[in-house]
Amino acid sequence: MAEWRLDQDRGMPLYQQLMQLIEEKIKAGDLVPGRALPAERKLAEELQVNRSTVIRALEELTTQGILIRKRGSGTFVNPNKWGMQTRPTINWRTSLTPDNLSVDTPYQRDVKQLLAQHRSREILDLGNGDLPKDLLPELKIPDISLGEMLHGEATFIRENRGIKATRESVQKHLHTAYGMTVPLEEIFITSGTQQSLFLITQGLLKPGDAIGIEAPSYFYSLRLFQAAGLRIIPIPMDGEGMTVKGLQEASLQYPLKMIFLNPIFQNPTGTVMSPERKQAILDYCLLKRIPIVEDDAYGSFVFDETVDNRPLKSLDKRQQVLYLGSLSKFAGQHIRIGWMVGPAAIIRELADIRDQIDSGLSFLPQLLAEHYLTSEITAHLPIIVSALKERADKLQTWLRNKYGPEISFEPAKGGYHLYCRFANKTDAEMDELLQELLEEKVVVKEGIQFGDQKNAVRFSFGHFVERNANS
């Protein structure tokens, strides 16, 4: 332990020096994830400080999520980023930046190499969660003159929540799809879910705030949460979605500022939150005054008519939920239009923030979105749903034939994804399985990218084409 030294004459308090020393050792690789630190008494003796100094430093780092303290076992370096209080990337002095915490896995590096070496049509990319090209709508640019477009741009500047026609088309879509009646002043047009989340993290949260997300969840992989310095708290799920017990335990342990949910055909698991669970989540969050952000990316893609695909927002009577939607799963990434629905005061605040950072929208994408929602979605949506269901069925058959009893999954009832587990495989066997798929030019998403165990894999069936079980 000769390398554990503090400067007694330095102006910084000793407990802060120890915190800094531990963080530096983690960055340097001297303390690796999962590694136990020396015992408190031994560390205090070596550093020639009071044990209370050591305890305070360890407790501070535990609060930040950098360390984990286990009663009777000791203190360990956090093996993953669940609960990690990362700091904003603009703080260049930090020793734990998102770049340190979000290193590609060997499999991800191999995927990038494969994609660089082969043409896209040679690869079966089941990690791609975007709408495939053959299902894109045949959108036509509306017949509009340059003068009319310039007038529309000027109008939009005055209406910073989005042009009225687009907001009206979203209003009508939500009523048609879910029976939701939403006042126009509560609808905010964005460039998609990512912009909505960015504005929420910048306008409604601050560095160090704890946010709860489903475990596993695609939210886990979002760099914008790390860049904002937020602490990501995992909340367990079961077959009905996020558990109320898990939410209760998380809120008692951490002062949750907000929870983020993807309750309908959740990404990656495909789970649909039951109506009873939705109401229980709403009731508990109202009791604890915890706002909810709901991402409804997949709710319209229903294969099974018995599925209740109503968003959490449709049950919201107390303005508890910020509801996010997007056209990307309907019309592809080229129409970068989404929407946020929430309390009018919050919508105004976030729209003003977007104005201040000069991150507005142009008129044409909004016009295309309005055209699609009013003229094309009714005919186009059944085509997407039918194709996705057929491909999901074929993918499930292929996986059963290929892996037999080794693989388990819940049959897809909608959405874009099939989440599979290989319960009896070791980490080494999972590495081998993923490499075998790469040799067959099949790409998937690892469960660890969603904060899950290594034996979980997400297959996105939109891009699936039939293959033999052994190829």
Side-chain angles (χ1 to χ4, degrees):
M1 290 203 0
E3 70 276 14
W4 289 87
R5 288 288 182 267
L6 299 180
D7 184 355
Q8 298 282 352
D9 297 325
R10 190 176 171 188
M12 180 184 292
L14 291 174
Y15 84 92
Q16 292 182 0
Q17 287 190 48
L18 179 54
M19 289 174 63
Q20 188 178 72
L21 179 61
I22 291 172
E23 289 185 282
E24 289 172 353
K25 287 182 177 297
I26 294 173
K27 180 182 178 183
D30 297 330
L31 288 173
V32 298
R35 174 74 59 82
L37 273 68
E40 293 170 1
R41 188 180 302 279
K42 187 175 182 181
L43 195 54
E45 292 174 356
E46 182 69 21
L47 295 170
Q48 297 181 357
V49 298
N50 293 329
R51 188 178 177 186
S52 61
T53 299
V54 174
I55 292 174
R56 181 172 181 183
L58 299 184
E59 286 180 345
E60 289 277 353
L61 291 174
T62 300
T63 299
Q64 293 179 13
I66 294 170
L67 302 179
I68 296 175
R69 308 194 76 185
K70 300 180 180 179
R71 187 181 299 274
S73 299
T75 303
F76 301 81
V77 178
N78 195 340
N80 56 41
K81 65 187 177 190
W82 284 122
M84 185 70 74
Q85 180 179 335
T86 55
R87 297 172 174 84
T89 54
I90 195 66
N91 182 0
W92 293 331
R93 296 173 297 170
T94 181
S95 59
L96 287 177
T97 66
D99 286 337
N100 298 110
L101 297 170
S102 299
V103 179
D104 282 347
T105 66
Y107 174 74
Q108 289 172 284
R109 292 195 292 270
D110 290 343
V111 167
K112 290 179 180 178
Q113 185 176 2
L114 178 71
L115 295 174
Q117 291 176 345
H118 297 273
R119 292 172 294 184
S120 59
R121 65 173 177 269
E122 297 174 343
I123 297 172
L124 185 57
D125 190 354
L126 304 183
N128 187 341
D130 295 332
L131 188 70
K133 292 181 180 179
D134 64 307
L135 295 181
L136 293 175
E138 296 183 4
L139 281 174
K140 297 179 181 179
I141 297 178
D143 185 12
I144 184 172
S145 68
L146 178 60
E148 290 172 313
M149 189 175 300
L150 293 175
H151 176 73
E153 290 279 6
T155 301
F156 174 53
I157 292 173
R158 297 192 301 270
E159 299 176 357
N160 66 352
R161 287 168 296 172
I163 59 176
K164 184 179 179 182
T166 306
R167 287 186 288 132
E168 287 176 339
S169 66
V170 170
Q171 184 184 49
K172 180 180 178 182
H173 165 67
L174 294 176
H175 187 269
T176 301
Y178 303 123
M180 293 169 57
T181 300
V182 180
L184 206 59
E185 64 269 18
E186 295 183 2
I187 299 175
F188 176 29
I189 303 300
T190 69
S191 63
T193 301
Q194 291 290 315
Q195 186 184 64
S196 296
L197 292 172
F198 173 77
L199 292 171
I200 290 168
T201 61
Q202 297 303 306
L204 305 180
L205 296 166
K206 63 182 185 299
D209 281 349
I211 60 170
I213 68 174
E214 300 149 318
S217 171
Y218 93 96
F219 287 122
Y220 178 86
S221 64
L222 293 183
R223 294 291 300 275
L224 64 87
F225 287 155
Q226 296 182 14
L230 302 175
R231 299 172 61 194
I232 305 172
I233 308 303
I235 301 178
M237 298 173 61
D238 60 17
E240 297 183 45
M242 176 183 284
T243 67
V244 178
K245 180 181 178 182
L247 176 58
Q248 290 171 336
E249 292 175 349
S251 67
L252 291 173
Q253 187 173 1
Y254 302 94
L256 292 180
K257 299 297 183 181
M258 196 172 284
I259 64 170
F260 289 73
L261 295 173
N262 175 206
I264 310 300
F265 305 126
Q266 195 258 1
N267 183 6
T269 65
T271 301
V272 178
M273 186 175 284
S274 69
E276 295 78 16
R277 184 66 54 80
K278 292 173 191 171
Q279 191 60 57
I281 293 288
L282 283 170
D283 290 344
Y284 185 78
C285 287
L286 179 64
L287 177 67
K288 293 295 184 178
R289 299 297 188 265
I290 302 172
I292 301 169
V293 176
E294 176 183 18
D295 178 11
D296 184 26
Y298 309 100
S300 293
F301 307 104
V302 180
F303 306 161
D304 184 341
E305 293 182 356
T306 65
V307 170
D308 185 340
N309 69 330
R310 291 175 300 165
L312 200 68
K313 183 65 177 175
S314 68
L315 306 178
D316 179 19
K317 309 301 182 186
R318 301 293 187 91
Q319 295 283 41
Q320 297 175 245
V321 180
L322 277 176
Y323 173 83
L324 313 182
S326 169
L327 277 187
S328 64
K329 302 304 179 186
F330 296 87
Q333 296 291 339
H334 58 290
I335 301 186
R336 302 192 64 82
I337 290 293
W339 47 87
M340 185 189 306
V341 178
I346 299 299
I347 293 300
R348 286 195 300 271
E349 179 180 347
L350 297 180
D352 289 342
I353 291 173
R354 184 172 67 180
D355 280 351
Q356 293 169 27
I357 62 176
D358 194 24
S359 181
L361 299 176
S362 66
F363 178 71
L364 184 57
Q366 295 184 76
L367 197 63
L368 288 170
E370 185 269 333
H371 171 75
Y372 177 78
L373 288 172
T374 56
S375 303
E376 298 195 31
I377 191 172
T378 302
H380 184 228
L381 179 58
I383 295 173
I384 301 177
V385 171
S386 176
L388 289 176
K389 182 180 186 306
E390 180 181 358
R391 295 174 195 189
D393 291 341
K394 290 179 177 179
L395 171 63
Q396 290 166 164
T397 298
W398 180 70
L399 290 172
R400 289 192 185 100
N401 290 338
K402 187 175 182 65
Y403 295 112
E406 293 182 314
I407 193 171
S408 62
F409 54 82
E410 289 294 324
K413 295 183 178 181
Y416 270 53
H417 310 299
L418 187 71
Y419 203 55
C420 304
R421 293 191 183 277
F422 296 84
N424 297 320
K425 286 192 177 295
T426 64
D427 287 356
E429 289 171 333
M430 285 303 302
D431 288 336
E432 184 178 348
L433 181 149
L434 292 172
Q435 286 302 317
E436 289 174 353
L437 285 172
L438 282 183
E439 290 173 5
E440 299 167 15
K441 298 186 178 63
V442 178
V443 173
V444 298
K445 287 284 188 183
E446 299 173 282
I448 57 175
Q449 293 180 253
F450 307 102
D452 204 354
Q453 301 299 313
K454 199 164 185 176
N455 66 0
V457 178
R458 192 195 77 179
F459 296 84
S460 298
F461 40 75
H463 293 263
F464 183 75
V465 294
E466 286 189 272
R467 290 191 170 193
N468 295 326
N470 297 319
S471 65

